[in-house]
Amino acid sequence: MSTDSEDPKLLVSTGWLAAHLNDPDLRVIDATWFLEPGRDAQAEYMAAHIPGARFFDIDAIADKRSELPHMAPQPEMFISRMRAMGIGDGHQVVVYDNSPMRSAARVWWTFKLMGKQDVAVLDGGLGKWLAEGRPTEDMPPVMRDRHITVQRQAGLVRDVTQVAAASKLADHEIVDARAADRFRGEAPEPRPCLRLGHIPGARNLPFARLYSPDGTMKSPDALRAEFQAAGVDLSKPVIATCGSGVTAASLFLALERIGHRDHSLYDGGWAEWGNFPDLKIATGDA
């Protein structure tokens, strides 16, 4: 990622983070999260993380009233957890991950949902940081309580009723970040008991296509081409969806990067839609 595309509200490079790592008002977050069992994100954080990074547990900092996985937390919980992590008003936040799910985008979106603007994803994540021989540590930082104010941006999230209306009216583009075989209903879902297929009218843009081999996000022109190749009409409002709201955040990040300004995220995702027999589904590419 070239220096002319550094954006502390969107994406910053490893070089930018290295240059700012000792800034007193910088806060770094490790947002690593895994869907498949067998890897422990918090244990990996404890073994090695970018100096000063705090660990954000996507499954724990979530709406516990919902039976759905890691739904966005209520503002009160977010405030409580961020204060305990020493993250508050006046801080520049940089979020990274070491996950094939690109889970940093989900935590970045969560901050945006809470009205926080000075937050960016580390382009290339921990993988690129390590590949460049940059430092890590294995001790958590000393965290001091910091006041934080939030203002939830309701327009950035959609619920199942809103998505069902958008599917029926075709007045939004619904873009699904899952792999193509899951979208078509040809591969099993990682979560049991879900139906196979996708939301009627949705387009498929697997989130991996948004990233280059080194884990950095593609250029705005290349991202725009990916959306167009997926058949997405970017003149319409866009609802990003996926399995449970994690990889859809990469679509949201990409839409921000190309300057699209009317987009939201379906937080329930296929974990919700695929569980309700009264909601219509489609299979194949259509």
Side-chain angles (χ1 to χ4, degrees):
M1 180 175 166
S2 60
T3 54
D4 63 357
S5 59
E6 305 285 13
D7 184 349
K9 299 181 189 300
L10 188 69
L11 278 171
V12 295
S13 69
T14 50
W16 185 97
L17 180 57
H20 292 270
L21 200 56
N22 294 320
D23 289 4
D25 284 328
L26 180 79
R27 293 294 181 269
V28 182
I29 291 176
D30 185 322
T32 302
W33 175 84
F34 301 112
L35 176 59
E36 293 77 10
R39 291 182 69 179
D40 184 329
Q42 190 157 10
E44 292 188 19
Y45 160 81
M46 292 300 296
H49 53 263
I50 292 175
R54 288 100 161 110
F55 182 73
F56 188 114
D57 188 333
I58 288 174
D59 288 322
I61 305 175
D63 186 353
K64 297 302 182 183
R65 302 170 306 175
S66 174
E67 295 181 358
L68 295 166
H70 45 252
M71 294 286 281
Q74 296 300 107
E76 296 77 15
M77 172 186 266
F78 184 82
I79 288 170
S80 173
R81 295 299 186 94
M82 292 310 100
R83 288 189 64 163
M85 290 165 64
I87 297 170
D89 295 340
H91 284 149
Q92 168 66 49
V93 176
V94 175
V95 190
Y96 75 88
D97 65 63
N98 192 34
S99 168
M101 310 305 289
R102 309 295 177 197
S103 48
R106 170 68 186 196
V107 172
W108 169 86
W109 172 83
T110 303
F111 272 84
K112 296 289 185 180
L113 179 65
M114 299 298 168
K116 310 310 288 184
Q117 296 302 317
D118 295 326
V119 55
V121 169
L122 178 63
D123 208 18
L126 185 63
K128 190 168 189 289
W129 182 270
L130 294 174
E132 294 167 349
R134 300 189 188 274
T136 60
E137 62 185 16
D138 59 4
M139 293 293 291
V142 175
M143 293 181 278
R144 298 179 177 87
D145 189 291
R146 175 83 167 235
H147 179 74
I148 184 170
T149 53
V150 307
Q151 186 171 3
R152 190 175 186 273
Q153 306 297 302
L156 301 189
V157 66
R158 292 289 179 264
D159 64 23
V160 66
T161 303
Q162 294 167 315
V163 177
S167 173
K168 183 177 181 179
L169 296 173
D171 57 353
H172 290 65
E173 289 282 33
I174 301 170
V175 186
D176 192 325
R178 292 177 300 155
D181 55 356
R182 287 174 62 193
F183 177 84
R184 292 192 297 261
E186 298 169 355
E189 286 293 311
R191 296 178 178 88
C193 304
L194 294 180
R195 297 176 299 161
L196 305 183
H198 60 265
I199 299 167
R203 310 287 187 174
N204 185 214
L205 177 48
F207 74 96
R209 284 170 38 187
L210 306 173
Y211 295 92
S212 301
D214 66 352
T216 57
M217 183 161 268
K218 291 180 178 178
S219 70
D221 286 345
L223 292 172
R224 197 171 288 108
E226 292 287 0
F227 279 101
Q228 290 168 348
V232 178
D233 181 354
L234 291 170
S235 70
K236 287 185 174 183
V238 175
I239 299 172
T241 186
C242 62
S244 62
V246 174
T247 61
S250 282
L251 291 174
F252 194 101
L253 181 65
L255 288 162
E256 289 280 316
R257 186 152 163 74
I258 66 175
H260 190 277
R261 285 292 175 259
D262 190 355
H263 45 272
S264 54
L265 186 148
Y266 173 28
D267 203 14
W270 197 251
E272 181 175 39
W273 192 282
N275 195 43
F276 286 128
D278 55 334
L279 292 171
K280 292 181 179 179
I281 63 170
T283 56
D285 291 316

